[in-house]
Amino acid sequence: MSITDQTEYEDLLGLWSDLEAGLGILLGSPASIQEFEQRVWQYDRWMQTLLERDADVGLYLLFQLSTHSSVGYSASHALICSVLCHLIASELKLSMPERNSLVHAAMTMNIAMTALQDELALQTDPLTPEQQDAIRGHAAKGSLMLANLGVTDELWLEVLANHHDESPEKMELRLLPPRKRLVSILRAVDRYAAMISPRKSREGRSTTESVRSIMSSTAPYNDAVGHALVRAVGLCPPGTYVRLEDNAIAVVVRRNSKANLPHVAIMTDAAGSVLTRPRLHCPANGKPALKAALASAMVRQRFNHHLALQLSLQAALAQPA
């Protein structure tokens, strides 16, 4: 199911924003949330419903969000990790209980350092000793917090408590016990989403650099997570920027069955001048081909003030591939 017009696109944008805001409240003030575990399930169902309406538009909005602003980083990071875990779980054909535990762990993995995570996204100074201690202890503390809030899913709690475990695995992903399998997935997704997101202290990396980094840090026999991620969202997911062979800059708007040939909206001509209206193009159907992925934060700044361009992009997204 895909959106069919700009009004529906704007409605979807508002719903994703509402979901992110709700998740921010959940993570920022967990002690004030009644029936905490049930609320996480509610947000998970909400997320799935939005993805069913149009997964490409959902990915576009989330990847734009992850590279656009460091404000409210914790909630946006949790949301994009949850979506990526959901899509990877489908690619890997995980059982539904494993999928649920994985996604819920992704939503809540940094609950013990929500305020600190938002603060660190804006910080340029080195970490203080107190911040280092909080980061080292947040996984175990978060698992304990959730147990005290009434979470009864032991796999969810175990995965959250161990999502920074760097112990090398000596079996293929599919042969690992469920806890270790889900920890491997969440650790990789967490790292990928963090790498593409900018901080005040550094720019985000391109999506291709980020996924290659994940694969290079994984044992040769256990790179299934990186491959599943590429199959799920492509080398350049919707919402990320690319340079074409003629040097024009485009933004990816929809995935393609070929992971390296997504549908794009061309935003500049070969000389770098911004087009009045983006031009839809699929490299799989002809030239120009994709040349390279770009770090999105720097490129996006260039187009922020082109209101007509943004409206045209919305119209482009409202056209099913």
Side-chain angles (χ1 to χ4, degrees):
M1 181 177 179
S2 295
I3 62 171
T4 56
D5 56 43
Q6 192 165 338
T7 299
E8 194 174 356
Y9 166 82
E10 291 171 352
D11 177 51
L12 201 53
L13 171 61
L15 290 171
W16 276 108
S17 297
D18 290 344
L19 175 56
E20 186 207 7
L23 189 56
I25 295 171
L26 182 83
L27 299 176
S29 304
S32 68
I33 304 297
Q34 294 184 347
E35 299 184 324
F36 181 91
E37 184 171 3
Q38 288 75 13
R39 186 65 64 88
V40 173
W41 278 92
Q42 177 188 350
Y43 285 151
D44 179 13
R45 289 191 294 269
W46 188 358
M47 179 191 79
Q48 291 182 67
T49 299
L50 295 181
L51 288 172
E52 287 170 3
R53 281 186 65 177
D54 195 313
D56 285 318
V57 170
L59 287 169
Y60 179 92
L61 296 172
L62 289 171
F63 274 89
Q64 287 278 301
L65 180 67
S66 71
T67 58
H68 175 49
S69 174
S70 298
V71 177
Y73 171 81
S74 187
S76 65
H77 180 76
L79 186 53
I80 195 168
C81 287
S82 302
V83 167
L84 293 176
C85 283
H86 169 75
L87 296 173
I88 288 172
S90 178
E91 282 292 332
L92 295 175
K93 296 179 171 57
L94 298 185
S95 68
M96 190 56 66
E98 283 192 31
R99 178 263 167 216
N100 293 338
S101 297
L102 174 64
V103 171
H104 299 165
M107 276 191 182
T108 56
M109 62 182 162
N110 295 315
I111 195 167
M113 55 174 285
T114 299
L116 175 59
Q117 194 174 33
D118 289 343
E119 178 184 327
L120 293 177
L122 301 170
Q123 181 172 312
T124 56
D125 295 331
L127 295 174
T128 67
E130 293 78 14
Q131 289 173 332
Q132 292 174 343
D133 288 343
I135 292 170
R136 279 192 291 267
H138 84 276
K141 183 179 178 182
S143 181
L144 182 60
M145 283 177 62
L146 292 188
N148 290 335
L149 288 167
V151 172
T152 57
D153 180 347
E154 291 295 332
L155 186 55
W156 172 0
L157 296 175
E158 287 181 11
V159 172
L160 190 154
N162 293 280
H163 74 275
H164 285 302
D165 180 9
E166 296 289 346
S167 302
E169 304 297 350
K170 298 183 179 180
M171 278 190 267
E172 293 182 26
L173 188 74
R174 62 186 178 86
L175 300 177
L176 291 173
R179 180 185 69 81
K180 290 190 174 184
R181 178 165 47 248
L182 301 192
V183 165
S184 295
I185 296 169
L186 184 54
R187 182 176 62 235
V189 167
D190 185 23
R191 185 177 299 156
Y192 172 82
M195 282 191 286
I196 64 172
S197 301
R199 309 283 195 281
K200 287 295 182 182
S201 58
R202 63 160 175 80
E203 296 293 342
R205 298 167 70 175
S206 75
T207 50
T208 51
E209 284 181 313
S210 300
V211 78
R212 284 170 185 155
S213 177
I214 290 170
M215 288 184 172
S216 66
S217 65
T218 307
Y221 49 79
N222 197 16
D223 58 0
V225 179
H227 287 295
L229 177 62
V230 171
R231 291 196 304 272
V233 301
L235 282 170
C236 302
T240 59
Y241 293 92
V242 294
R243 188 178 299 280
L244 305 181
E245 280 188 334
D246 65 354
N247 284 326
I249 293 175
V251 61
V252 178
V253 291
R254 291 196 178 277
R255 294 167 295 174
N256 192 3
S257 56
K258 297 180 180 179
N260 61 335
L261 297 172
H263 299 264
V264 303
I266 300 175
M267 302 176 72
T268 76
D269 60 22
S273 298
V274 178
L275 302 178
T276 304
R277 189 176 189 84
R279 179 164 57 86
L280 293 179
H281 172 64
C282 182
N285 299 331
K287 295 186 176 182
L290 247 64
K291 182 179 181 180
L294 300 173
S296 294
M298 295 180 67
V299 180
R300 184 184 171 101
Q301 290 173 8
R302 182 178 176 190
F303 302 116
N304 272 349
H305 301 298
H306 292 274
L307 179 59
L309 188 64
Q310 295 303 319
L311 292 174
S312 295
L313 275 172
Q314 292 180 18
L317 278 162
Q319 298 179 37

